[in-house]
Amino acid sequence: MHKECSVPSEVRKRLQRAGLGRAYAIRAAHELHDHWRDMVDEGMRAGMTQCEAETEATARLGSAELLAKEFASRMQRSSWLGRNPTFGFAMLALTLTIVWWFALGSLAANACGLFGGSIGAEDVTWRLGLFNRCLDGVRAGGYVVVPWLCCHVAHRFYCGWRPALWACLVIAIHNGMHVLRVSTSGQHGNISWGYSFNFAAMPALLALCAPLAVFALYQAWNRRAPSERTESAGVAC
Amino acid sequence: MPRGIHVFAMRKSNPSFLNGVPELMVLQLLARREMYGYEIVKGIQTASKEAFAFGEGSIYPVLHELEAGKLVKSRRAEVQGRSRLYYALTASGRKRLQLLANQWEQVALGIAQVLGGANA
């Protein structure tokens, strides 16, 4: 019966702390654990006692700190986003924000009948009012969905937590300065989109905090320990 | 810890022109047949007559990086009651191997010429 080695589980914890995906961290720990078991078997076949074989195998596996750094740096280098995190994630955050507003804004405008042919003067006011409320929904959804997507991309491409936090900060700054106004003039509606900062009035706290809260929740969820089933399968020790 | 040249980045003494050597060795071994991590380490040690020293766990970051770059692919297989992750070369991996092997031959030739010149 094998004793367990602490290196794989330490590597898993360090990778999760570095912001690499939980599934990936578990997989890496699993492979290191299997390798360790193979080395112990090899040592015992060579005539070592189990204790000696385990000590030797742990030394041969390498230090958890260096292994975790090696995993993280190699995986970060494996994608363009990982190699260019500052530019890449700023662009990703802004692109996702634009796509989010454009896609859902168009959908909302269509649903409110604003793309229809002739709209009566009395219709314009309530349709634009409805459209305004839809945009509030799009805005609120964007506070959560866009940062979540950025965190997901950072995990998917093994970029770590720092680029994800940077993207969420970009989104928070965008949310704080972004202005979208819908107004009516006669039979026409106007939509104005822009950025401004009013020093007299602070931007809405929710707009600034929501992306950072999503980031914190995503990281906390990712750092949870493996389930008992996974542990009993020898994934972690 | 075995003596030898430290080619894996875990070692701070890794000379920069040895970058790409772990990839080259792994790809070369996988070109013969699919293997799991432990087999690859044993393969490197046997083929190089233990010329290279590295923490054995550091083979996995190399394998994962190659897999992320689609140079190798992995599949899980049950062998003698143990579930193992086998790695195999892809078509892009074969091309990359050819490129790295050519580069390495040029480096080796250059070093041989420098050493030959120094000894002349």
Side-chain angles (χ1 to χ4, degrees):
Chain A
M1 188 70 187
H2 285 294
K3 266 197 321 192
E4 298 297 350
C5 168
S6 65
V7 174
S9 65
E10 185 58 32
V11 169
R12 175 186 59 75
K13 282 178 200 159
R14 282 173 184 271
L15 289 182
Q16 284 181 275
R17 277 204 293 272
L20 270 80
R22 181 173 174 268
Y24 175 71
I26 291 173
R27 176 204 161 164
H30 201 166
E31 283 190 281
L32 288 173
H33 185 261
D34 281 348
H35 193 103
W36 181 81
R37 280 182 62 186
D38 283 328
M39 287 192 291
V40 171
D41 290 344
E42 179 196 325
M44 289 174 73
R45 279 197 304 274
M48 290 183 187
T49 64
Q50 182 165 343
C51 187
E52 285 169 347
E54 284 168 356
T55 310
E56 167 81 6
T58 304
R60 276 169 58 188
L61 200 58
S63 102
E65 187 189 350
L66 290 174
L67 279 173
K69 275 185 189 161
E70 182 73 355
F71 271 111
S73 69
R74 279 199 179 262
M75 295 316 284
Q76 277 164 12
R77 285 203 308 259
S78 69
S79 67
W80 184 87
L81 274 172
R83 288 190 297 274
N84 306 280
T86 310
F87 176 74
F89 275 85
M91 286 297 109
L92 178 75
L94 294 175
T95 307
L96 284 176
T97 303
I98 291 167
V99 169
W100 173 262
W101 274 100
F102 189 77
L104 293 190
S106 305
L107 214 65
N110 197 32
C112 297
L114 297 182
F115 290 149
S118 56
I119 303 170
E122 65 281 6
D123 274 358
V124 170
T125 313
W126 77 261
R127 280 176 194 267
L128 281 176
L130 180 62
F131 180 58
N132 229 339
R133 277 196 292 279
C134 288
L135 287 186
D136 286 341
V138 172
R139 183 180 289 114
Y143 289 169
V144 175
V145 176
V146 179
W148 184 88
L149 282 172
C150 288
C151 291
H152 181 71
V153 169
H155 276 194
R156 170 71 186 74
F157 291 97
Y158 313 103
C159 298
W161 63 267
R162 284 184 185 87
L165 176 61
W166 164 236
C168 290
L169 277 172
V170 170
I171 296 164
I173 293 166
H174 166 273
N175 289 350
M177 297 175 72
H178 177 224
V179 183
L180 182 76
R181 283 196 193 91
V182 179
S183 55
T184 49
S185 58
Q187 262 188 295
H188 299 284
N190 294 316
I191 298 174
S192 56
W193 162 293
Y195 291 90
S196 69
F197 191 83
N198 183 358
F199 285 96
M202 281 295 291
L205 205 60
L206 182 67
L208 295 176
C209 293
L212 303 176
V214 170
F215 166 79
L217 285 173
Y218 197 100
Q219 296 305 318
W221 180 249
N222 182 60
R223 284 188 194 188
R224 72 197 192 279
S227 65
E228 275 183 26
R229 200 179 122 264
T230 323
E231 286 222 286
S232 64
V235 171
C237 43
Chain B
M1 186 59 68
R3 283 164 182 242
I5 304 168
H6 298 153
V7 291
F8 284 69
M10 278 180 70
R11 308 289 174 198
K12 286 188 176 168
S13 60
N14 185 16
S16 61
F17 63 82
L18 285 179
N19 282 347
V21 171
E23 287 82 354
L24 175 60
M25 291 191 294
V26 169
L27 291 174
Q28 178 62 41
L29 282 170
L30 291 178
R32 296 174 195 164
R33 64 182 174 89
E34 64 171 11
M35 291 179 173
Y36 56 91
Y38 181 76
E39 276 186 308
I40 295 169
V41 171
K42 288 285 125 194
I44 291 172
Q45 287 172 348
T46 308
S48 68
K49 298 194 174 100
E50 306 210 355
F52 303 113
F54 55 92
E56 293 191 18
S58 60
I59 198 74
Y60 295 100
V62 176
L63 283 167
H64 293 179
E65 188 185 18
L66 291 172
E67 192 181 17
K70 298 193 179 1
L71 301 176
V72 303
K73 58 187 177 188
S74 65
R75 71 174 180 94
R76 191 163 282 285
E78 194 89 20
V79 180
Q80 292 169 342
R82 294 273 300 274
S83 168
R84 306 228 185 242
L85 204 56
Y86 278 86
Y87 292 90
L89 214 58
T90 62
S92 331
R94 237 165 253 288
K95 282 183 199 156
R96 177 81 179 149
L97 170 61
Q98 221 159 24
L99 185 78
L100 283 174
N102 288 341
Q103 281 176 353
W104 181 250
E105 274 168 21
Q106 283 175 359
V107 169
L109 189 68
I111 291 171
Q113 281 170 347
V114 169
L115 290 177
N119 292 335

